Amino acid sequence: MKRYASHFIFIPGYGYLKQYVVEVEKGCAVSVFPLTEEIEGVEWFPGVIALFTEKADVSAKFHDVFQKQKEILNEVPETFYKEQFVSRLIPYLFYPFDFTAMQPADGTRHRQLL
């Protein structure tokens, strides 16, 4: 199991979680929780970690997805765990990221976190 943290975690359809950790097992997110203190074994990445379903075409549509939802969340929505976390969510790191507009900047690259 690996743990990754970032400035923001993006959950399509819900918004952004500020300074959260994503636990990843076999390439899929299995948990998210707040980064309230330094935790051993958590790898920090600048930018945004986005959680997409396996079916998402990240390379073609990610600008559209980020534009639709700019809300900053205080906690993980309960419906997220019930409705989406049961499906396989794949974490992708997006960097650099425009935190003013809350969307990818010119030259943003993405890669799957394994």
Side-chain angles (χ1 to χ4, degrees):
M1 179 134 8
K2 295 184 179 183
R3 292 179 174 169
Y4 304 106
S6 190
H7 291 98
F8 290 94
I9 305 296
F10 178 69
I11 305 171
Y14 294 93
Y16 293 87
L17 296 164
K18 188 173 184 177
Q19 294 187 343
Y20 264 66
V21 176
V22 175
E23 279 189 323
V24 178
E25 188 173 301
K26 298 179 183 175
C28 293
V30 294
S31 174
V32 294
F33 58 89
L35 182 64
T36 56
E37 61 186 5
E38 189 172 331
I39 302 170
E40 186 176 337
V42 173
E43 192 171 349
W44 174 266
F45 288 109
V48 170
I49 297 173
L51 302 178
F52 291 115
T53 62
E54 283 186 292
K55 300 172 189 169
D57 184 0
V58 177
S59 61
K61 299 180 182 177
F62 68 82
H63 282 295
D64 293 337
V65 173
F66 286 105
Q67 287 179 349
K68 292 178 183 175
Q69 188 67 48
K70 297 181 181 182
E71 184 177 350
I72 306 298
L73 307 169
N74 292 322
E75 59 186 26
V76 179
E78 193 174 311
T79 56
F80 170 70
Y81 277 115
K82 292 179 181 175
E83 295 172 6
Q84 286 192 338
F85 230 104
V86 293
S87 61
R88 296 176 51 111
L89 295 173
I90 311 296
Y92 290 89
L93 174 66
F94 286 81
Y95 180 79
F97 201 83
D98 180 349
F99 293 113
T100 304
M102 294 309 285
Q103 60 184 341
D106 287 337
T108 294
R109 298 195 184 276
H110 65 279
R111 70 177 175 98
Q112 184 177 345
L113 298 175
L114 301 172

